Amino acid sequence: MPAVELIPFGADAQRALEREWLATIRDRAAADGVRSVVRSSWERSLGAAVSPDLPAAPVVLDEGLLIGTVEATDWLDLARAAVAEHDRSFSGEGHILTLFDHEARMLTAEGDPAALEGLAEINFRPGALWSEQAVGTNGPGTALATGGAAHIVGAEHFCARWQRWHCAAVPVRELASGQILGVLDISGFRERAHPHTLNLALALALAIEQSVAAREIGRRYLAVTRMTHLSHRYPADAAIAVDRHGRILLASPSAPAELDPERGHPALRALIPDLVGRTRDSLPREVEVALTADDTRRGVWHPVFDGRTVVGGCLVLENRETGTSPRTTKATARFGALRHTFAEIVGESPALVAARDTALAAAATDLPVLLSGEPGTGKEAFAQAIHQASDRRDRPFVAVNCAALPREQAERELLGSASQVGRFEAADEGTLFLDEIGELPPAAQAALLRVLEDQEITRIGDTQSRPVNLRVIGATSRDLLTMLANGQLRSELYYRLNVMTIELPALRERGPDLPMLARRFFQATARDHGRPEVGVAGDVFAAFQAYAWPGNLRELRNVVRRLMAVAGTRITLADLPQAIRAAYLRIAPAPRLGRGAPTAPPTGVGRASHIDEEDARLTEVVNRSRTMAEAAAELGITRSTLYRRMERFGLKPKRVVDRG
């Protein structure tokens, strides 16, 4: 049994130790009269060419880098909570408690002000590097170098300026993997060193490790739950839950034998940490996994988050027999192709340009979007365009008309039930578009709020929470502030959604855009029906601009479709609906009659009060034709269209005369 090596706490022991240290520095070889852990550390310090006269440790993290590193070290909050429970144990005079990351960079320090001030003189403060390679033997650096607890007292430090102090340091590990996360250290004036200091550090480190282990169990549960959810969606494909280190937690029955949780797989251990290292805005992405030398499979990585931290996830690999990709199956077969992109949202009116620019900015984020505008202004087109321009473009786009949901069934439709997938889950990893979101009943609003805040749902009649990762785009034609005042809309939901608000202009506010939009609708309608494009008289577009279009784009599109259905080869003012024609005639100047144009109603035809070129052309053709069918043929329209035009102009069809 090896002899117990005593830590040199007393003054005599420290004087003897100082002689050994001086010999070590003089001879450039570690002396024998010190503890073995210290002797090995002195040898490493000599090998790293650390200067024993080093005045202070190097500072490697400035304020900005330190803040970023602290935020990225996700076990620190657990460490602080565990330490807070033992606050009285280390708050004694002359000591501070510090936490380091796995690279020996100090992240936090708190404790006695006198000790903090004195230690700051040697840069024993946040942002400084205390590895053995940088500053020689010291508590945190030696604990990391050896992987075990280290209590370095006074002259055991390699550098002279550190010898006023003692450091009791213990590595903090992730218990499941054994990986060192960082170091907890209690440091103070050498005269106050005591064996209990290391015992306290050990107890605190153990408390932190237990907190980390408890959280790890919860994170594994999240990954396994996601895998279960996805394996139901892709029953023929291999679904594998993994932690952030690439260890397999669970594999579906269809997973290949190479993906055995007991043995793990080197490809996953190499691939997953890189995927986990991505930001919170990471989305499911295609990957390739080499299971064997002859079997490389495509798959989709579904990250799992705990707050903003990627803690693992699920891999869904393609079915080797069918060759189908989960991504393809989900994005196209289940949800179909989307029609609208930003390339199709055309127009140069200032209001439209502003809305389009904001929507493009929104597409680059995962923030909730609220589209507002009158009915028919193109809210779903904007929602689809945002989805198509985002990183979620290959994932589901699920549209829900909230006004059409039965109030008593709305919550079930969104959350689903034990036997049915709801709209939230259907939109998992994609975009959920909620049209007329203000019409959701209170229970459905509460469910939506939970999804936005917690990214999880619980189906109706179920007790198990299911994680979902979706982007919500809401739309409304109502005044939400009025609904808030009336209690029809939850204020928490409104402020959670009202992050990026986009006001869509009414068609009447897009004056210069209207003729271009109408022409595009005429062209699209002709293309959809496989017919040639028709001619459109110039005053038709002028009439369009004179009209208020209460139904906005939807009304314009429907008017164009109707005109294309009933008109011949040319559309004129006479073909327009009465409301549009009347709006134009109220503001149009009195028409000028060309040379030779009739100045009085020709025989057999009644006259309206307004005469224009189309009117004159119509009366002229009718009066010289033998029959209405002959007149319609010459005008290139059907006889029924001719009758409608004459009726709109207030004309009466002439009696048909058979000239033999």
Side-chain angles (χ1 to χ4, degrees):
M1 182 174 180
V4 176
E5 297 180 310
L6 299 178
I7 299 175
F9 292 114
D12 292 341
Q14 282 291 313
R15 283 192 290 271
L17 185 60
E18 288 172 2
R19 290 191 291 271
E20 299 293 337
W21 177 79
L22 288 170
T24 297
I25 301 305
R26 183 189 64 234
D27 300 335
R28 306 303 296 170
D32 293 329
V34 297
R35 292 187 293 151
S36 58
V37 64
V38 174
R39 187 177 191 280
S40 297
S41 179
W42 284 1
E43 288 175 347
R44 291 192 294 270
S45 302
L46 291 167
V50 175
S51 170
D53 299 323
L54 197 66
V59 176
V60 293
L61 298 175
D62 61 22
E63 185 176 356
L65 287 174
L66 177 62
I67 292 172
T69 304
V70 167
E71 290 179 349
T73 306
D74 71 342
W75 60 274
L76 275 185
D77 287 340
L78 296 177
R80 288 170 175 146
V83 168
E85 294 182 5
H86 300 77
D87 185 58
R88 295 178 181 176
S89 302
F90 67 85
S91 59
E93 184 178 356
H95 286 85
I96 69 171
L97 187 143
T98 56
L99 294 169
F100 294 76
D101 68 7
H102 65 284
E103 297 180 25
R105 299 177 300 183
M106 189 189 293
L107 303 180
T108 66
E110 58 183 37
D112 180 74
L116 282 168
E117 183 178 354
L119 285 163
E121 294 177 0
I122 58 173
N123 283 341
F124 196 78
R125 61 184 178 86
L129 177 66
W130 281 85
S131 67
E132 280 191 348
Q133 290 285 314
V135 298
T137 306
N138 70 93
T142 301
L144 281 174
T146 62
H151 196 174
I152 304 300
V153 180
E156 290 185 320
H157 289 92
F158 186 77
C159 295
R161 292 205 66 193
W162 315 167
Q163 293 178 358
R164 282 185 60 201
W165 309 95
H166 78 105
C167 304
V170 181
V172 176
R173 297 179 182 272
E174 183 186 72
L175 295 180
S177 65
Q179 176 189 8
I180 293 179
L181 302 175
V183 173
L184 178 142
D185 174 77
I186 299 176
S187 293
F189 295 105
R190 183 181 69 185
E191 296 78 12
R192 297 185 180 276
H194 193 280
H196 292 333
T197 308
L198 183 59
N199 293 335
L200 175 59
L202 285 165
L204 291 174
L206 178 60
I208 296 171
E209 290 175 345
Q210 289 174 338
S211 296
V212 172
R215 185 187 62 182
E216 188 64 21
I217 292 172
R219 289 177 166 180
R220 290 182 171 210
Y221 173 78
L222 291 175
V224 170
T225 300
R226 174 57 65 87
M227 191 217 80
T228 304
H229 175 55
L230 291 171
S231 64
H232 288 310
R233 183 177 300 169
Y234 309 119
D237 297 306
I240 307 101
V242 295
D243 67 10
R244 64 182 183 276
H245 305 296
R247 292 188 296 262
I248 301 174
L249 305 175
L250 186 66
S252 65
S254 55
E258 291 84 3
L259 298 176
D260 180 2
E262 294 294 329
R263 293 182 289 131
H265 198 284
L268 298 184
R269 288 193 292 271
L271 172 68
I272 302 304
D274 175 62
L275 294 171
V276 166
R278 300 181 187 273
T279 66
R280 171 65 178 88
D281 295 328
S282 296
L283 292 168
R285 61 186 65 241
E286 285 189 348
V287 296
E288 287 191 348
V289 179
L291 298 179
T292 66
D294 302 321
D295 187 0
T296 297
R297 300 198 190 189
R298 292 176 301 160
V300 179
W301 163 246
H302 300 262
V304 171
F305 299 97
D306 182 5
R308 295 186 58 85
T309 304
V310 183
V311 297
C314 181
L315 270 177
V316 180
L317 300 179
E318 67 179 343
N319 187 314
R320 175 58 71 195
E321 295 180 0
T322 63
T324 57
S325 165
R327 183 178 194 162
T328 303
T329 301
K330 183 173 180 181
T332 58
R334 261 190 85 182
F335 298 92
L338 301 182
R339 302 186 306 276
H340 302 291
T341 64
F342 280 114
E344 298 170 8
I345 299 178
V346 296
E348 297 304 324
S349 60
L352 188 277
V353 170
R356 190 171 55 210
D357 288 348
T358 305
L360 277 166
T365 75
D366 252 0
L367 296 173
V369 175
L370 187 59
L371 303 169
S372 64
E374 296 178 4
T377 48
K379 291 187 283 292
E380 182 162 358
F382 263 79
Q384 288 190 16
I386 291 171
H387 174 81
Q388 293 279 62
S390 74
D391 287 341
R392 298 177 182 258
R393 66 181 67 88
D394 295 318
R395 311 311 298 162
F397 177 92
V398 178
V400 179
N401 183 351
C402 300
L405 292 176
R407 291 186 66 82
E408 64 279 2
Q409 294 293 322
E411 188 180 10
R412 181 178 295 271
E413 284 285 331
L414 295 177
L415 291 172
S417 62
S419 59
Q420 179 182 351
V421 174
R423 305 297 180 89
F424 290 147
E425 284 185 86
D428 189 21
E429 296 146 14
T431 300
L432 179 67
F433 173 56
L434 296 173
D435 197 10
E436 295 302 338
I437 194 169
E439 303 298 328
L440 283 176
Q445 291 184 31
L448 174 59
L449 183 62
R450 183 183 180 193
V451 168
L452 290 169
E453 291 183 343
D454 301 334
Q455 291 282 293
E456 65 178 24
I457 63 103
T458 302
R459 293 183 183 181
I460 300 296
D462 198 355
T463 58
Q464 177 185 357
S465 295
R466 303 167 186 265
V468 290
N469 174 17
L470 52 85
R471 198 256 186 92
V472 174
I473 300 178
T476 183
S477 58
R478 299 184 60 180
D479 184 351
L480 292 183
L481 292 179
T482 300
M483 297 185 70
L484 274 174
N486 296 338
Q488 296 172 277
L489 182 67
R490 293 175 63 118
S491 60
E492 314 98 289
L493 179 59
Y494 172 75
Y495 292 115
R496 189 67 176 79
L497 280 172
N498 192 26
V499 179
M500 297 197 76
T501 301
I502 303 173
E503 181 74 31
L504 304 191
L507 188 55
R508 61 182 173 276
E509 299 168 354
R510 299 176 56 184
D513 294 342
L514 206 150
M516 174 185 59
L517 292 169
R519 288 188 178 93
R520 287 174 64 92
F521 286 150
F522 278 120
Q523 294 166 358
T525 303
R527 183 175 62 250
D528 292 344
H529 290 83
R531 56 174 293 182
E533 294 184 22
V534 298
V536 182
D539 53 4
V540 168
F541 296 114
F544 280 173
Q545 288 185 288
Y547 182 57
W549 297 103
N552 292 293
L553 290 168
R554 185 180 296 119
E555 183 182 8
L556 174 61
R557 185 183 295 108
N558 290 339
V559 166
V560 167
R561 289 172 176 170
R562 179 180 181 277
L563 291 173
M564 291 287 289
V566 301
T569 58
R570 184 174 174 80
I571 295 171
T572 68
L573 189 68
D575 297 312
L576 299 182
Q578 177 65 27
I580 299 176
R581 192 161 53 88
Y584 171 64
L585 293 175
R586 280 196 297 271
I587 66 170
R592 294 179 299 171
L593 299 179
R595 180 179 298 176
T599 57
T603 304
V605 180
R607 292 288 289 147
S609 59
H610 295 282
I611 302 175
D612 61 11
E613 292 183 15
E614 293 298 327
D615 187 2
R617 166 73 172 157
L618 191 75
T619 56
E620 189 270 328
V621 171
V622 168
N623 277 306
R624 63 179 170 77
S625 299
R626 292 190 308 157
T627 64
M628 295 296 287
E630 185 178 297
E634 182 172 341
L635 291 168
I637 59 179
T638 65
R639 188 163 53 180
S640 60
T641 300
L642 176 59
Y643 283 127
R644 280 193 298 273
R645 288 191 181 182
M646 295 180 69
E647 182 181 357
R648 287 173 185 165
F649 277 112
L651 306 177
K652 296 179 180 179
K654 71 176 185 178
R655 179 175 296 174
V656 177
V657 178
D658 186 358
R659 298 181 181 178

